[in-house]
């Protein structure tokens, strides 16, 4: 049986009380439809735990502090790939939460103490991949338009043109249309299925 949102909240607060000794404070949990998230933040890092009561999906994201979601977010799964021990999380969310707590107390203790070497490696790799993806998509774009600081790229809606990194980030992307539009802003990149929507988002972030 999957965890309810309240059981998830109680479980997180029970397992991660120790984060306070690293200077983290918890924010009130948020629930939208079937997904609940709880945020812990310090002056250096933000940790967000998310859970869906619909399919028991659980994830943990770590990044730089912001309002509700971290800047430069890195999933716990990505961080674990950088560790020599490469621990894996169980599929069951309750067990995964317990395992996350153990990992943070041991393998990620230095990170929580403010030594950012581990997560900085991931940030550097992601920045390099984003620059490569942007350069490639600029080359294959059918049309480019700039609105303030935002840029709209009209791109052939194919796996080859979009690139595997893009499709990993936008895993629900629909490839049935002939073209798609990518809006690049200082805050984030957005994937749109119409020019009108792309233009509206670009204006909001110009």
């Amino acid at each position: 049986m999957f965890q309810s949102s309240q059981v998830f909240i109680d479980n997180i607060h029970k397992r991660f009380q120790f984060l306070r000794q690293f200077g983290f404070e918890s924010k009130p949990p948020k629930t939208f439809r079937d997904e609940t998230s709880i945020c812990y933040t310090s002056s250096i890092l933000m940790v967000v735990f998310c859970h869906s009561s619909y399919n028991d999906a659980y994830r943990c994201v770590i990044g730089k502090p912001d309002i509700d979601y971290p800047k430069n977010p890195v999933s716990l799964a990505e961080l674990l790939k950088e560790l020599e021990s490469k621990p894996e999380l169980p599929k069951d969310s309750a067990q995964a939460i317990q395992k996350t707590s153990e990992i943070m107390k041991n393998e990620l203790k230095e990170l929580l103490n403010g030594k950012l070497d581990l997560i900085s490696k991931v940030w550097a790799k992601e920045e390099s991949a984003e620059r490569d993806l942007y350069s490639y998509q600029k080359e294959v774009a059918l049309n480019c338009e700039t609105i303030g600081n935002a840029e709209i790229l009209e791109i052939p809606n194919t796996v080859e043109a979009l690139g595997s990194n893009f499709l990993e980030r936008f895993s629900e992307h629909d490839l049935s249309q002939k073209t798609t539009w990518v809006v690049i802003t200082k805050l984030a990149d957005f994937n749109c299925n119409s020019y009108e929507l792309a233009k509206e988002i670009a204006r909001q972030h110009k």
Side-chain angles (χ1 to χ4, degrees):
M1 186 175 177
F2 298 160
Q3 297 185 87
S4 67
S5 60
Q6 189 56 54
V7 170
F8 167 72
I9 291 167
D10 293 343
N11 200 0
I12 291 294
H13 285 321
K14 175 185 175 183
R15 296 288 181 188
F16 295 95
Q17 285 184 2
F18 70 89
L19 287 177
R20 295 184 181 278
Q21 72 189 55
F22 294 102
F24 285 83
E25 294 292 335
S26 64
K27 293 186 176 183
K30 294 189 174 184
T31 299
F32 179 70
R33 294 181 181 173
D34 64 344
E35 182 157 305
T36 302
S37 63
I38 304 177
C39 172
Y40 284 77
T41 186
S42 71
S43 60
I44 300 171
L45 289 172
M46 175 179 276
V47 181
V48 178
F49 304 95
C50 303
H51 175 258
S52 170
S53 58
Y54 173 72
N55 59 7
D56 202 39
Y58 159 78
R59 68 183 188 278
C60 172
V61 178
I62 303 174
K64 297 176 182 177
D66 205 352
I67 299 172
D68 293 316
Y69 199 76
K71 297 176 182 175
N72 304 106
V74 175
S75 70
L76 179 61
E78 289 177 275
L79 275 178
L80 298 186
K81 291 177 185 177
E82 297 295 321
L83 295 173
E84 289 185 13
S85 55
K86 292 182 170 47
E88 294 185 4
L89 297 178
K91 291 185 178 180
D92 177 80
S93 66
Q95 294 177 18
I97 289 167
Q98 181 178 349
K99 184 66 175 178
T100 301
S101 176
E102 294 170 4
I103 290 170
M104 287 189 173
K105 289 176 181 177
N106 295 289
E107 287 92 341
L108 299 183
K109 186 175 181 179
E110 288 192 358
L111 174 63
L112 298 178
N113 260 323
K115 296 179 181 178
L116 304 182
D117 296 5
L118 181 68
I119 199 168
S120 293
K121 289 181 184 178
V122 182
W123 284 336
K125 288 179 182 179
E126 290 183 345
E127 287 172 6
S128 177
E130 285 176 6
R131 286 194 299 269
D132 292 344
L133 178 62
Y134 172 72
S135 299
Y136 175 70
Q137 289 184 336
K138 283 276 284 187
E139 287 180 12
V140 300
L142 303 170
N143 196 16
C144 301
E145 180 180 351
T146 301
I147 299 178
N149 291 319
E151 191 170 7
I152 300 174
L153 304 181
E154 182 183 358
I155 299 173
N157 197 22
T158 65
V159 173
E160 294 77 13
L162 292 170
S164 58
N165 286 344
F166 176 88
L167 293 173
E168 284 177 11
R169 290 170 58 196
F170 298 98
S171 57
E172 303 297 321
H173 179 69
D174 182 5
L175 290 167
S176 61
Q177 296 184 171
K178 287 186 176 181
T179 57
T180 191
W181 289 262
V182 176
V183 184
I184 300 167
T185 74
K186 288 185 175 180
L187 178 64
D189 295 350
F190 299 88
N191 177 31
C192 306
N193 58 10
S194 72
Y195 171 70
E196 290 72 22
L197 177 59
K199 198 168 185 179
E200 180 182 339
I201 290 175
R203 284 173 174 167
Q204 290 173 359
H205 294 85
K206 66 181 182 179

